[in-house]
Amino acid sequence: MSQQFSAVFVWSRNIRLFHWLNVIAVFLLMVIGVFILNSKTLGVSVDGKILLKTIHVSIGYIFGVNLLIRIALGFFGKNYERWNKTLPFQQGFATELKDFSKGEKSFYKGHNPAGKLMVAALFFLLSIQMVSGLVIAGTDIYYPPFGGYFAESIAIDKSDLTTIKPYSKVNVDEEAYKAMRAVRKPFITAHVYSFYTLLFLIPFHILGVIFTERKERTSVVSAMINGYKHLPKNGKE
Ligand code: HEM
């Protein structure tokens, strides 16, 4: 007898918009990030580096606002937008994970437990990218929200901050500049290591989705496009 499925609405428009905007922004940030990372080897000029960083930071703002909206939805949204349906921190998660590893449930309406662990790791790393990115944008090309503060901290004449420009020593106090670069160091380290970890995890996220689609056959891929999963009517939830 063939299995009966019913369409069940899971992912709201907000979640789907966040997901695809995040995919596009992270992809572009990674591509431009690779160019920044290898700018010396590629022989990029100073102006070229400033341009790459300006584009990276501009996309970074879109990425950051999108991420902040998603974080807020986790607290104030509905159903599957909420953190208790997204992250692996609710009571009974260990049992859920054990049942999942034994294959005791045939499908999941939201994320399966492995999906929840992956989503938690991805949100953690994306948040690190957002915070560290905003700090280094301030110390590097003096962009908001911290650029004004860092520019003032290194300026000799603090009444004219327009003279503080990326890669320029005009109006810059050398000692204060060194102190500012020391503040920046842990943030750039976090930004780079978090980038490598994301690069490693993203393929596993995609493989997990493909594996779930093949095993559960609940349309998890199209659900992130139209919101609906196809769940077995008599399957074990
Ligand atoms: C998932 C999101 C992101 C990824 C994967 C990413 C990736 C990268 C990578 C690989 C680099 C090169 C690091 C280096 O040169 O040492 C970089 C540099 C940079 N990123 Fe991001 N980034 C992200 C988000 C952001 C955000 C949100 C901002 C700020 C709004 C930002 C600001 C910067 C800046 C200013 C640099 C230049 C640092 C330098 O001087 O080398 N990034 N990013």
Side-chain angles (χ1 to χ4, degrees):
M1 200 183 76
S2 71
Q3 177 85 272
Q4 295 276 302
F5 290 86
S6 54
V8 178
F9 189 68
V10 181
W11 306 125
S12 68
R13 181 183 296 203
N14 292 332
I15 293 287
R16 285 175 281 139
L17 266 177
F18 160 76
H19 181 270
W20 295 114
L21 194 54
N22 189 56
V23 168
I24 296 166
V26 169
F27 173 75
L28 293 175
L29 287 165
M30 284 187 152
V31 171
I32 301 167
V34 166
F35 279 100
I36 300 174
L37 205 51
N38 298 290
S39 53
K40 231 186 222 154
T41 324
L42 295 168
V44 179
S45 65
V46 168
D47 283 347
K49 271 194 232 175
I50 297 171
L51 180 66
L52 281 174
K53 289 178 184 184
T54 306
I55 299 171
H56 185 82
V57 171
S58 306
I59 300 169
Y61 288 142
I62 298 171
F63 158 82
V65 169
N66 192 41
L67 184 59
L68 287 175
I69 293 173
R70 174 64 187 95
I71 291 171
L73 274 176
F75 294 106
F76 307 112
K78 324 181 278 264
N79 297 325
Y80 285 87
E81 292 168 353
R82 296 186 70 84
W83 290 127
N84 63 359
K85 302 257 179 159
T86 314
L87 297 178
F89 305 127
Q90 72 279 35
Q91 253 193 353
F93 179 74
T95 319
E96 214 183 293
L97 189 63
K98 218 188 266 167
D99 291 349
F100 172 74
S101 60
K102 287 193 217 146
E104 292 204 339
K105 272 171 93 167
S106 55
F107 68 92
Y108 290 82
K109 209 171 154 191
H111 297 295
N112 67 34
K116 282 184 180 169
L117 287 171
M118 174 58 83
V119 166
L122 291 174
F123 273 121
F124 177 67
L125 292 164
L126 294 177
S127 304
I128 291 181
Q129 287 309 79
M130 178 180 65
V131 174
S132 60
L134 288 174
V135 174
I136 54 183
T139 60
D140 204 48
I141 51 173
Y142 309 109
Y143 264 48
F146 304 113
Y149 165 79
F150 285 117
E152 192 174 349
S153 79
I154 60 166
I156 299 167
D157 174 7
K158 298 192 191 302
S159 68
D160 187 12
L161 296 182
T162 55
T163 51
I164 303 287
K165 298 249 159 65
Y167 293 88
S168 159
K169 295 279 174 236
V170 175
N171 194 21
V172 170
D173 177 305
E174 261 315 308
E175 282 307 307
Y177 183 78
K178 274 192 203 141
M180 184 265 274
R181 298 296 283 190
V183 170
R184 166 192 159 91
K185 210 167 169 203
F187 290 95
I188 188 93
T189 306
H191 205 68
V192 172
Y193 281 102
S194 172
F195 161 69
Y196 285 130
T197 318
L198 275 171
L199 209 55
F200 175 76
L201 282 188
I202 290 170
F204 285 99
H205 169 58
I206 297 168
L207 282 175
V209 169
I210 295 170
F211 180 79
T212 307
E213 181 70 83
R214 285 183 57 84
K215 182 169 171 273
E216 293 183 6
R217 300 179 192 177
T218 50
S219 316
V220 290
V221 179
S222 53
M224 204 36 93
I225 297 168
N226 59 30
Y228 286 89
K229 280 194 182 179
H230 289 93
L231 305 181
K233 277 191 174 150
N234 48 2
K236 199 173 163 210
E237 191 189 0

